[in-house]
Amino acid sequence: MMSITNPPPFVTTLDIRSIRDAFPVLKQQVNGHPLVYFDNAATTQKPQQVIHALNAYYQEYNANIHRGVHALADKATMAYEKTREMVQTFIHAQHVEEIIFVRGVTEAINLVAASYGRTLIEEGDEILISAMEHHANIVPWQWICQERKAKLNVIPISDEGEIDMEAYHQLLSSRTKLVAVNHASNTLGTINPIKEIIRDAHHAGAVVLIDGAQSAAHIPVDVQDLDCDFYCLSAHKMYGPTGVGVLYGKKELLERMPPYQGGGEMIREVSFEHTTYNELPYKFEAGTPNIADVIAFQHAMKFILEVGLDNIAVHEQALLAYATEKTENLSFIRLIGTAREKVGVLSFVIEGIHPFDIGQMLDARGIAVRTGHHCTQPLMARLGLDGTVRASFALYNTFEEIDQLVEGLNKIIRFLK
Ligand code: PLP
């Protein structure tokens, strides 16, 4: 990953025109301007292949999966399980049964907190998160700590938005049972040194959960190389549908964990007196899952792999470097999050103008950004801010769109000041 203090040349190896062609939603005008979509950290747009796969399921082989004996059920089951195999390939998991389908990162973390946390965290234990976590990687751990009488510790960050590794090492002890941090911050863009974080947590005897919401579509992920115990991702941030995510867990850990929800599919045998559970991964997939969206997700991953995660990273790093250079020279802008390693997230504030107002004025020019606390209120408190404006980039964004953002910001300032 390139550093923003040493920017790459502003070139791309991607055929952006044909990539953009695959995304029907990008071909529209918003408020009389061509849409500039810079809200990719919230959710990415979907390529035609994904939309087509969703339609095809409902039009051609809609059926419930796994226990059916008819042709449609068979076809749906095979397509559903093919996505599981593709996730295994995508994140380099050792076993296919380590891939559990959930609603998204939020549910993945809640599953680990409810299942692992309730049974394996004990009084006096400590859980360690960082100061730049999304609420989804804070609240479930707060609950578990209250319930189990454990302690939630927070690794501090620098003003630039990097984890304080010295403080991390001091906080790690034999009491630390679980470390939960994001791979990349949705608010700051910081890419965290998770390999080192995982290695050191393991030395202390803790397991590690990585929130991969902001990384899986931007950075190649190899869970075996990282040696993480849990890795969570959301399909909708990876050009896939909403309502689908993945919890990866090491097999030996998942086997020790009790089911999270009870119902159909997760059982082996039920009597009124006693229930035995199904094997992995079905033990954690109670009820009818989100079949259509899981199936469509495989086409999103296929799309990413065809473009190539390395190519995507080069393109997005060039966009980030270009946007950083263009905006850091604007006297009225203060960039928030200037870590050495970042994904394509540009957060900023303009003194005296509320982020919400900037967002609305950019929207009037067809430019979609996100404003506010980005579900990281403790991070905002640490930085002394109410919120930021966030432009987040994806593989279909262009340098011209960044020029339009900069022009829009200049016009807003001229109009307001
Ligand atoms: N973690 C991070 C870093 C995020 O950016 C998000 C969503 O923005 C989440 C967790 C929650 O993801 P989801 O809403 O898909 O469950």
Side-chain angles (χ1 to χ4, degrees):
M1 200 57 48
M2 274 153 278
S3 111
I4 59 165
T5 49
N6 183 20
F10 304 130
V11 292
T12 181
T13 49
L14 298 187
D15 177 0
I16 295 296
R17 190 176 295 232
S18 74
I19 285 176
R20 287 182 72 87
D21 259 356
F23 290 84
V25 82
L26 296 177
K27 295 174 191 145
Q28 64 179 298
Q29 303 257 318
V30 168
N31 295 322
H33 299 270
L35 169 65
V36 172
Y37 187 78
F38 281 158
D39 197 16
N40 295 291
T43 198
T44 51
Q45 298 301 344
K46 321 304 172 200
Q48 193 63 63
Q49 300 89 306
V50 170
I51 300 165
H52 175 78
L54 272 174
N55 278 335
Y57 168 76
Y58 286 120
Q59 286 186 357
E60 296 164 23
Y61 59 103
N62 172 50
N64 211 333
I65 53 169
H66 290 145
R67 287 166 313 280
V69 289
H70 58 83
L72 265 52
D74 237 23
K75 188 168 175 188
T77 303
M78 274 164 63
Y80 182 90
E81 291 302 331
K82 195 167 165 210
T83 302
R84 204 186 306 274
E85 284 164 20
M86 193 163 276
V87 176
Q88 181 195 4
T89 306
F90 196 87
I91 63 170
H92 301 95
Q94 193 179 354
H95 308 286
V96 72
E97 60 270 32
E98 296 177 318
I99 309 301
I100 293 157
F101 290 120
V102 287
R103 270 194 308 125
V105 168
T106 303
E107 192 179 23
I109 298 173
N110 274 278
L111 190 164
V112 176
S115 172
Y116 188 91
R118 281 220 181 98
T119 40
L120 295 160
I121 300 290
E122 291 172 358
E123 185 168 350
D125 286 348
E126 293 180 0
I127 293 176
L128 201 44
I129 59 174
S130 88
M132 65 174 99
E133 296 311 314
H134 188 280
H135 296 163
N137 202 22
I138 301 174
V139 181
W141 305 123
Q142 272 175 343
W143 287 347
I144 284 305
C145 285
Q146 278 159 17
E147 199 178 308
R148 307 296 297 171
K149 298 192 172 61
K151 189 167 174 226
L152 187 65
N153 282 331
V154 181
I155 315 162
I157 59 166
S158 68
D159 291 342
E160 290 74 30
E162 293 183 345
I163 283 187
D164 180 341
M165 291 300 282
E166 218 178 293
Y168 170 57
H169 293 137
Q170 279 164 10
L171 283 164
L172 269 180
S173 77
S174 58
R175 288 184 303 279
T176 315
K177 289 288 143 51
L178 190 140
V179 176
V181 291
N182 61 50
H183 196 164
S185 156
N186 61 314
T187 302
L188 307 173
T190 310
I191 300 172
N192 288 311
I194 56 165
K195 204 164 173 183
E196 196 181 335
I197 289 173
I198 294 163
R199 185 197 61 206
D200 299 343
H202 284 167
H203 281 155
V207 299
V208 185
L209 176 143
I210 301 296
D211 168 353
Q214 297 298 336
S215 41
H218 309 287
I219 306 169
V221 173
D222 183 331
V223 291
Q224 289 186 75
D225 179 55
L226 289 169
D227 198 26
C228 55
D229 301 287
F230 302 106
Y231 198 97
C232 315
L233 51 89
S234 287
H236 73 99
K237 295 183 196 284
M238 304 168 63
Y239 313 103
T242 53
V244 176
V246 166
L247 170 67
Y248 157 83
K250 279 185 186 160
K251 194 174 167 188
E252 59 274 22
L253 276 176
L254 293 173
E255 273 168 351
R256 281 167 60 206
M257 289 161 53
Y260 159 62
Q261 292 177 331
E265 191 62 30
M266 50 75 69
I267 54 91
R268 177 161 290 142
E269 256 184 49
V270 180
S271 70
F272 284 119
E273 291 72 38
H274 187 62
T275 297
T276 53
Y277 305 130
N278 203 342
E279 60 200 15
L280 289 175
Y282 311 111
K283 179 172 93 172
F284 290 108
E285 292 182 4
T288 300
N290 189 351
I291 304 166
D293 294 286
V294 167
I295 291 172
F297 179 35
Q298 96 194 218
H299 296 272
M301 285 182 287
K302 198 161 167 249
F303 170 80
I304 293 175
L305 292 174
E306 275 166 13
V307 179
L309 266 163
D310 289 334
N311 294 330
I312 293 171
V314 168
H315 176 68
E316 291 176 354
Q317 288 295 309
L319 290 174
L320 175 67
Y322 186 69
T324 304
E325 187 180 290
K326 289 269 166 180
T327 47
E328 72 190 352
N329 294 327
L330 299 176
S331 59
F332 53 87
I333 284 214
R334 179 154 68 94
L335 293 180
I336 306 297
T338 50
R340 285 162 292 183
E341 306 281 328
K342 285 181 62 173
V343 289
V345 168
L346 191 85
S347 248
F348 60 89
V349 291
I350 300 180
E351 233 52 69
I353 312 180
H354 198 280
F356 181 80
D357 295 335
I358 301 166
Q360 276 202 324
M361 284 186 272
L362 288 173
D363 180 56
R365 307 178 64 82
I367 302 170
V369 293
R370 189 144 293 244
T371 65
H373 54 63
H374 316 297
C375 296
T376 53
Q377 281 183 346
L379 172 61
M380 290 294 123
R382 157 65 181 84
L383 299 172
L385 298 169
D386 290 333
T388 72
V389 181
R390 181 186 72 188
S392 50
F393 309 127
L395 85 176
Y396 39 63
N397 289 126
T398 65
F399 299 108
E400 293 74 28
E401 288 180 316
I402 290 168
D403 289 339
Q404 286 167 47
L405 171 69
V406 172
E407 189 192 328
L409 291 170
N410 273 314
K411 289 214 164 120
I412 290 169
I413 288 299
R414 277 203 295 278
F415 177 72
L416 289 178
K417 297 230 163 158

